[in-house]
Amino acid sequence: MFRIESEKALLDCFRPIDRSTVAPTKSMEFPLYVRDYFTWVEPSGARTYLVFPDTASGKLLGVSFRRDQPRGASPYFCEWCHSVGSSAEIGLLTADASERRRVGISACLDLRCVDKLETRSNLTGENARHLARGVIEKMSEFARKSIF
Ligand SMILES: [Zn+2]
């Protein structure tokens, strides 16, 4: 559980080169109280944003993902929560690693991985908190290795 005090605090989670791409929505009410991670989709659907606590440093990190065109054949697979779905649900999200390099991950386009895992845990009896932690660990690993 963490708290984001203001729109400025939210933007400060992102790297300076990403900030101009981040569009908070009018419906956000600060402070935001967040359980696992915070995600939202730009109204046009072109971008998905993610703010999560890095498991190593505890610092909040923000990633501005762009949705890329679907490629290859269905079904698609989310590397973070292991859901399978159509190209409308799962696809390639890319982020700028630097000004010249982009990195991508195949994931749920709306990043509602934890919600899906919660449904799964209700069916299988797996520990939902444990599954959520696993997703945040993978997010941290991805962001540390490729972006921050
Ligand atoms: Zn997922």
Side-chain angles (χ1 to χ4, degrees):
M1 179 89 154
F2 61 91
R3 195 165 73 173
I4 301 171
E5 296 291 348
S6 61
E7 189 170 306
K8 184 186 178 302
L10 178 69
L11 289 170
D12 284 346
C13 301
F14 293 83
R15 293 171 307 166
I17 65 162
D18 286 332
R19 270 173 215 155
S20 63
T21 71
V22 181
T25 66
K26 293 209 163 53
S27 63
M28 286 177 189
E29 278 181 35
F30 294 96
L32 294 166
Y33 293 88
V34 184
R35 195 174 65 175
D36 297 303
Y37 56 84
F38 184 61
T39 186
W40 79 102
V41 177
E42 192 185 44
S44 73
R47 284 186 179 271
T48 302
Y49 307 103
L50 170 68
V51 175
F52 67 95
D54 175 37
T55 50
S57 65
K59 246 182 82 179
L60 293 181
L61 302 181
V63 184
S64 173
F65 283 110
R66 207 162 68 188
R67 294 185 182 194
D68 275 8
Q69 292 303 311
R71 45 157 203 194
S74 275
Y76 296 86
F77 175 75
C78 173
E79 290 178 42
W80 283 343
C81 69
H82 299 172
S83 296
V84 175
S86 73
S87 63
E89 299 163 297
I90 296 170
L92 188 66
L93 292 174
T94 64
D96 289 322
S98 65
E99 276 175 34
R100 296 185 174 182
R101 204 166 66 85
R102 298 185 67 75
V103 290
I105 183 152
S106 173
C108 298
L109 292 172
D110 57 6
L111 291 180
R112 302 196 72 88
C113 299
V114 160
D115 298 343
K116 293 182 184 173
L117 289 173
E118 220 157 76
T119 307
R120 192 172 103 196
S121 79
N122 288 337
L123 297 171
T124 62
E126 286 169 280
N127 183 316
R129 299 288 78 221
H130 184 80
L131 293 173
R133 254 199 317 276
V135 167
I136 294 169
E137 269 164 29
K138 287 181 212 162
M139 288 171 170
S140 299
E141 212 175 284
F142 170 81
R144 264 202 308 271
K145 203 169 69 186
S146 316
I147 299 174
F148 285 91

